[in-house]
Amino acid sequence: MARELNPLVRPRYRVGVEKRVYLTVTSGTDSAGRPDVLVLNPIDSSEQPAPVMANLGATNGNPLIAELPIPDEVVERYLEVRDVMTKEVITSIEILSRVNKIDKDGRQAYQRKREKVLKSQTHLVAIDLLRSGQSMEMHLQSDVRSDYHILVSRSHQRPYAEVYHCTLRQPLPIFPIPLRQGESEPTIDLNQVLGELYDLLNFDLEIDYKANTDPPIRKEDVEWLDRLLRGKRLR
């Protein structure tokens, strides 16, 4: 996206890839695929080596194994559109990850960043291409079915924002990147960006399209998707 945007916004602006680093706890696994705080299991004395410390006596019984919560460093990258002269951040562009939507620490870290941006004069573009996890809070003025969302929040229009959306069967929408008020806004075609990455990195050799998806695809979409993939295999 930075490669696509930079020619469209120069020479006044530059799009840079930034990173956010924080710690989250990993120990065990919960139902959402993220860590528990602590997992306790009894020791099987037949599989454990004899103690090398002082003999505590048989009355203590077998000890338990405690798996301690270990901080795990998480690095998230996002884009910033900056004014070349003033270095002011004009627009922040976020692509939500599973950590943002499912992990407690990750979601809180992202919400803090989002609230900070929404209270500033910086525009926010939040791209959610994940069907899993809880969507970020917003109050839509209409009830439509969608699988993917792209939020475009211009600072001078808040609390209102534009939400571009589509279902699995539809192409991803083309959406604008806001700059200073009154300036022409470049647009991003995510279908083109993802298609180029797909070909460049040979994802057709990596992705198993026969595997079950997580979360599962709606029943009404399964037959459509099967026909689509079968057609691609026959070409």
Side-chain angles (χ1 to χ4, degrees):
M1 289 182 60
R3 185 187 65 186
E4 293 290 325
L5 273 176
N6 267 311
L8 302 178
V9 300
R10 62 172 296 135
R12 184 170 185 180
Y13 304 105
R14 175 183 176 273
V15 182
V17 181
E18 308 295 333
K19 68 178 180 179
R20 176 170 57 248
V21 181
Y22 59 92
L23 296 179
T24 185
V25 173
T26 60
S27 175
T29 303
D30 62 15
S31 58
R34 296 302 306 168
D36 291 328
V37 175
L38 188 64
V39 177
L40 294 176
N41 292 306
I43 290 180
D44 185 343
S45 58
S46 65
E47 298 179 0
Q48 298 299 319
V52 295
M53 302 296 289
N55 185 2
L56 299 178
T59 57
N60 289 317
N62 290 328
L64 300 174
I65 289 182
E67 184 178 349
L68 302 179
I70 304 299
D72 184 26
E73 184 178 83
V74 176
V75 179
E76 294 182 345
R77 288 175 171 81
Y78 57 97
L79 301 183
E80 285 185 345
V81 181
R82 288 182 178 267
D83 187 299
V84 172
M85 295 295 294
T86 66
K87 308 303 180 185
E88 177 186 359
V89 178
I90 306 300
T91 307
S92 178
I93 306 173
E94 298 267 359
I95 301 179
L96 273 66
S97 68
R98 286 180 60 87
V99 173
N100 297 146
K101 296 186 68 178
I102 296 177
D103 177 77
K104 180 181 178 181
D105 295 331
R107 188 177 180 89
Q108 291 177 346
Y110 173 74
Q111 286 179 327
R112 286 194 296 268
K113 166 67 184 297
R114 174 175 163 168
E115 290 170 1
K116 182 178 179 180
V117 172
L118 292 178
K119 292 177 181 177
S120 72
Q121 295 302 308
T122 301
H123 308 305
L124 173 66
V125 177
I127 303 170
D128 184 357
L129 301 181
L130 297 174
R131 294 180 299 113
S132 60
Q134 182 182 357
S135 297
M136 293 298 165
E137 183 178 356
M138 67 178 77
H139 301 288
L140 295 174
Q141 294 181 346
S142 61
D143 186 16
V144 296
R145 172 194 156 183
S146 60
D147 295 310
Y148 310 112
H149 301 88
I150 300 169
L151 174 76
V152 178
S153 171
R154 297 174 179 86
S155 61
H156 56 277
Q157 294 178 345
R158 291 179 184 135
Y160 301 104
E162 296 175 349
V163 179
Y164 297 80
H165 58 89
C166 65
T167 66
L168 181 67
R169 301 192 188 196
Q170 298 171 315
L172 294 171
I174 297 174
F175 61 95
I177 301 296
L179 300 174
R180 294 191 186 277
Q181 188 173 357
E183 292 184 339
S184 176
E185 299 179 344
T187 58
I188 281 289
D189 185 345
L190 274 184
N191 290 292
Q192 178 180 334
V193 172
L194 292 175
E196 291 176 357
L197 286 175
Y198 185 93
D199 293 336
L200 179 66
L201 300 178
N202 295 322
F203 277 123
D204 61 312
L205 303 178
E206 175 68 18
I207 299 173
D208 181 6
Y209 287 103
K210 296 181 181 179
N212 295 327
T213 60
D214 180 21
I217 295 174
R218 295 184 181 92
K219 292 182 179 180
E220 59 267 31
D221 289 333
V222 171
E223 184 178 347
W224 167 84
L225 184 59
D226 185 62
R227 289 198 308 269
L228 179 68
L229 295 177
R230 190 184 306 116
K232 289 182 177 296
R233 290 192 292 267
L234 292 176
R235 293 177 185 174

